[in-house]
Amino acid sequence: MKSRLKVLRAERDWSQADLAEVLGVSRQSVNAIETGKYDPSLPLAFHIARVFGLSIEEVFVDPNADDA
Amino acid sequence: MPNTPAQRIMRQRLIPLTVIYLAGCLAAMLFINFAGPPDIVVYLISLLLSVPLVACIFVIWRYVTEEKDEYIRMMFVQNMVVSTGFTLAVTTIWGVLELYADAPALPIYYTLVIWCVGLALSHLYRRIFA
């Protein structure tokens, strides 16, 4: 699943390690989510969105959005 | 692989168990060879020696339940599935070889060893190619 994580992180001048620390996960996890290798669970997705003060839809791109 | 708190705890649990197992093996070997105890005692010693190994399996299960990082946990579980498949494949192939080609019997004890090798290989593959 695509996300705007990298852009949002860059806007705040955060490294992957910074974001990982805030989220309480490993840097590898942040990297895997950013690169689309791993889709986070709903609780983690909510946590990420909350950290950026956004809704989930503003952070993650719905892969089936065009089908709706 | 990153060092999560759960991984540190797992290591802290596995290291003493490994030391206990190795020390136990050495002590049992010396005792059985030099004291020549009756069969029932040898059986009991063997059962005691397997306790730390079974405990290692329990520690791995605890790790999976305690790992808070869901991505790291997912990777570990995937590695476990790969290593289980690896173990089934190796033991099946070897079993067929024993059946038809008179290959030497593979002690069941090696199942855990093969599984650990599979886990290490799966982890290594991810490190290099994933």
Side-chain angles (χ1 to χ4, degrees), chain B residues 44-119:
Chain B
L44 287 173
I45 290 171
S46 304
L47 281 175
L48 274 176
L49 277 178
S50 66
V51 170
L53 292 179
V54 174
C56 285
I57 298 170
F58 180 71
V59 166
I60 292 170
W61 171 75
R62 282 291 301 272
Y63 166 69
V64 173
T65 62
E66 289 173 351
E67 179 59 72
K68 297 279 189 283
D69 191 313
E70 58 184 52
Y71 173 65
I72 300 297
R73 184 175 60 237
M74 182 203 71
M75 285 204 303
F76 189 80
V77 170
Q78 284 183 354
N79 286 342
M80 285 172 67
V81 173
V82 169
S83 64
T84 302
F86 177 76
T87 306
L88 289 172
V90 169
T91 50
T92 300
I93 291 167
W94 197 265
V96 174
L97 285 172
E98 282 182 28
L99 198 61
Y100 295 108
D102 280 338
L106 180 72
I108 295 174
Y109 163 84
Y110 281 111
T111 307
L112 182 60
V113 178
I114 294 167
W115 188 84
C116 290
V117 169
L119 193 68

Side-chain angles (χ1 to χ4, degrees), chain A residues 25-26 28-29 32 37-41 44, chain B residues 1-2 4 68-72 74-75 130:
Chain A
V25 299
S26 62
Q28 281 77 359
S29 299
K37 285 181 186 170
Y38 176 68
D39 294 338
S41 67
L44 182 56
Chain B
M1 202 175 201
T4 64
K68 297 279 189 283
D69 191 313
E70 58 184 52
Y71 173 65
I72 300 297
M74 182 203 71
M75 285 204 303

